[in-house]
Amino acid sequence: MIRICMVGTGYVGLVSGACMADFGHHVTCVDINAERIRGLERGEIPFYEPGLDRLVLKNVQEGRLFFTTSLAEAFKDASVVFIAVQTPMSGSGEADLQYVMKVGEQIGALLDGYKVIVTKSTVPVGTNRRLAEVISTHLKTPGTPFDMASNPEFLREGSSIDDFMRPDRVVIGTETERSEKLLRDIYRPLFLLDTPIVKTGIETAELIKYASNSFLAVKISFINEIARLAERVGADVFDVAKSMGLDKRIGPKFLHAGLGFGGSCLPKDTNAIVHIAQEAGSDMSIVRAAIGVNADLPGRALAKAESLTGGLQGRTVALLGLAFKPNTDDIRSAPSLDLVAGLKTRGCTVRVHDPAAAENFKLVHPDLVYCRSPYEACEGADLVVLVTEWNQYRQLDFAAIAAKAAGRAFLDCRNVYNRPHLEAHGFRYDCFGRAGQTSAPA
Ligand code: UDX
């Protein structure tokens, strides 16, 4: 059993803390947000993540998981401190490290014996070195020993517990045997699953995270660019992706064309790696192109919507799904935000439904018509747009929608349905990258 201090109870910190406690370690999660900590003590999870409430409750009840607002308290007996605070994107696209560095200052002031300080937040290459300097300059007893380590997370929202418990790999960037051993001991339960532990230097571990997320973003933008070409040349991206994916060197995942990537990681990390490269006198031209392709997709959706309705001005539009992907309430960098902005500019009445993200969306766009079901959202709609492929939108009752909607147009931004199915219910249909699936314009 290792005593762990987890700084930050956001997505990464809370999931990692709860999972490490479930591995049998003693984990104290600390956050400056007192309201959040009080809620967690009552078993309230501050965001939507399937299974996390049960995991937190179980480990609290079994006496392995604790919450506090006091870093000093969480820090005291811990042999390892994970930093999992936010690294938001600054206005210029680079990672904003003020929260990480502030924690570094506090750690320096508290450190009174050897500990390993591990970054779990995604931080630009070189941050661990900078952080070590910050900690050193704030040490109350100069010379107190500590080691830095980088242990990036690869958690997907909506399936993060499974990703933590059954990872494809664990990356540990360390420089001493002592810190390497400690991190290996934390992840020891995964040895039973034969999980590859990739041991690297610190800068390499930092870069692995950006390289992985950028590659995923490039893969998505690549298929979205193929989708655009497929429409022009009379091909079907669905079959192209399926066939590409059967090549083991390519693989089938992250080849779904549609509205592109959003969320808290891919948009932020692609922008950050472009900055990291610029500062290093290098260039990430492929990633820059992927960002550009992704940015164009909401505009393409709006153009399709114009064509399906014969003009969007003043129309009523139903959006099914607001979250950046299914099984999350996260709307950060969600394409729905650009769609809504575009629809508002065109004077549309926007009716929306999402199983989890509506409350978050209301904070940004309080003036939409929020509905309790997808069918209610379709009432009086000239156009229905499937934005996020939640499972509950995969078997829609189109007879019921037709009975409520004013128009007969359906834009499928995630390629879930097909034209014959929709036309059988009297709807014009369009999707992304599937020539022959687009109904005649209105
Ligand atoms: C991602 C990484 O997968 C994870 O390893 C990292 O730690 C954090 O960032 P997440 O942001 O939760 O996780 O979402 P993910 O499931 O990777 O999807 C990212 C975005 O790409 C979503 O907006 C999704 O809709 C989109 N996507 C994904 C596609 O448009 N097409 C695809 O084929 C796959």
Side-chain angles (χ1 to χ4, degrees):
M1 188 269 285
I2 295 169
R3 294 183 91 89
I4 294 167
C5 165
M6 182 66 66
V7 188
T9 59
Y11 206 83
V12 174
L14 190 56
V15 171
S16 305
C19 289
M20 286 178 186
D22 210 58
F23 283 173
H25 304 303
H26 179 289
V27 182
T28 308
C29 294
V30 54
D31 203 297
I32 50 171
N33 184 337
E35 201 184 320
R36 177 171 281 219
I37 290 296
R38 275 197 300 276
L40 282 166
E41 280 167 344
R42 291 192 298 268
E44 292 163 17
I45 307 298
F47 45 82
Y48 176 86
E49 179 63 28
L52 188 57
D53 48 356
R54 282 193 303 280
L55 194 73
V56 167
L57 190 68
K58 170 179 173 235
N59 284 282
V60 167
Q61 283 173 347
E62 292 175 5
R64 289 185 299 268
L65 183 60
F66 304 86
F67 297 101
T68 177
T69 51
S70 161
L71 180 61
E73 187 189 319
F75 193 80
K76 203 166 22 113
D77 299 317
S79 43
V80 53
V81 181
F82 282 88
I83 301 179
V85 296
Q86 67 273 43
T87 52
M89 182 158 70
S90 67
S92 53
E94 62 202 306
D96 176 355
L97 293 177
Q98 58 166 313
Y99 303 101
V100 173
M101 293 304 166
K102 188 94 204 131
V103 173
E105 290 173 15
Q106 292 167 336
I107 289 176
L110 288 167
L111 203 69
D112 55 4
Y114 178 81
K115 289 190 203 297
V116 181
I117 315 299
V118 191
T119 50
K120 215 164 205 351
S121 306
T122 305
V123 291
V125 184
T127 302
N128 275 276
R129 302 247 172 254
R130 278 180 57 200
L131 195 56
E133 281 165 26
V134 169
I135 294 172
S136 295
T137 52
H138 285 80
L139 283 175
K140 64 175 176 211
T141 319
T144 309
F146 68 93
D147 276 324
M148 296 301 303
S150 167
N151 174 219
E153 52 81 21
F154 301 97
L155 309 176
R156 286 166 303 168
E157 294 188 16
S159 53
S160 61
I161 295 172
D162 204 51
D163 285 350
F164 196 98
M165 301 287 194
R166 273 170 280 278
D168 292 335
R169 78 302 207 187
V170 171
V171 174
I172 51 177
T174 54
E175 288 183 326
T176 63
E177 271 179 33
R178 192 175 179 183
S179 55
E180 180 184 339
K181 178 171 180 317
L182 197 64
L183 279 162
R184 282 187 188 274
D185 284 346
I186 289 174
Y187 289 103
R188 190 159 299 281
L190 297 180
F191 292 6
L192 292 171
L193 303 173
D194 271 343
T195 304
I197 306 279
V198 183
K199 156 74 183 90
T200 69
I202 288 180
E203 279 75 12
T204 303
E206 288 172 334
L207 187 55
I208 286 170
K209 176 60 193 277
Y210 284 106
S212 301
N213 273 357
S214 299
F215 187 80
L216 294 174
V218 166
K219 210 171 168 191
I220 297 168
S221 280
F222 180 84
I223 203 65
N224 281 322
E225 199 161 47
I226 293 289
R228 193 169 60 196
L229 177 61
E231 285 178 9
R232 300 256 164 145
V233 300
D236 188 328
V237 74
F238 193 82
D239 293 330
V240 174
K242 194 170 165 193
S243 186
M244 282 174 68
L246 289 170
D247 184 328
K248 290 191 180 60
R249 295 166 302 174
I250 299 174
K253 305 250 173 82
F254 278 69
L255 284 180
H256 300 292
L259 262 187
F261 59 83
S264 67
C265 289
L266 267 46
K268 174 167 76 77
D269 294 350
T270 44
N271 278 287
I273 201 173
V274 167
H275 271 267
I276 293 167
Q278 262 165 13
E279 290 200 348
S282 189
D283 185 22
M284 294 297 297
S285 59
I286 293 174
V287 180
R288 282 195 286 110
I291 296 169
V293 168
N294 200 56
D296 284 345
L297 294 169
R300 290 192 61 221
L302 288 165
K304 285 172 180 291
E306 292 275 10
S307 165
L308 274 176
T309 53
L312 273 175
Q313 199 63 39
R315 299 280 192 177
T316 296
V317 178
L319 298 187
L320 306 186
L322 299 167
F324 81 95
K325 66 170 193 179
N327 297 322
T328 178
D329 63 358
D330 198 343
I331 59 158
R332 284 175 287 178
S333 301
S336 57
L337 292 165
D338 287 337
L339 284 184
V340 166
L343 292 171
K344 277 185 170 178
T345 320
R346 291 163 176 81
C348 296
T349 300
V350 186
R351 301 175 63 85
V352 297
H353 174 260
D354 189 285
E359 289 308 313
N360 283 339
F361 213 81
K362 249 182 222 168
L363 300 174
V364 190
H365 287 288
D367 51 344
L368 310 180
V369 185
Y370 287 86
C371 302
R372 284 183 307 267
S373 78
Y375 301 100
E376 187 187 330
C378 294
E379 270 170 30
D382 299 300
L383 167 72
V384 178
V385 186
L386 198 167
V387 181
T388 315
E389 68 280 31
W390 284 91
N391 273 344
Q392 76 176 88
Y393 303 150
R394 287 180 181 275
Q395 300 266 357
L396 290 170
D397 177 348
F398 285 99
I401 292 179
K404 288 182 181 285
R408 294 285 178 278
F410 190 87
L411 176 57
D412 180 358
C413 293
R414 299 292 177 178
N415 290 357
V416 171
Y417 293 98
N418 58 52
R419 175 181 160 187
H421 187 63
L422 267 290
E423 286 189 345
H425 289 92
F427 285 83
R428 284 185 309 285
Y429 176 79
D430 200 2
C431 55
F432 279 69
R434 308 191 69 187
Q437 290 285 339
T438 306
S439 301

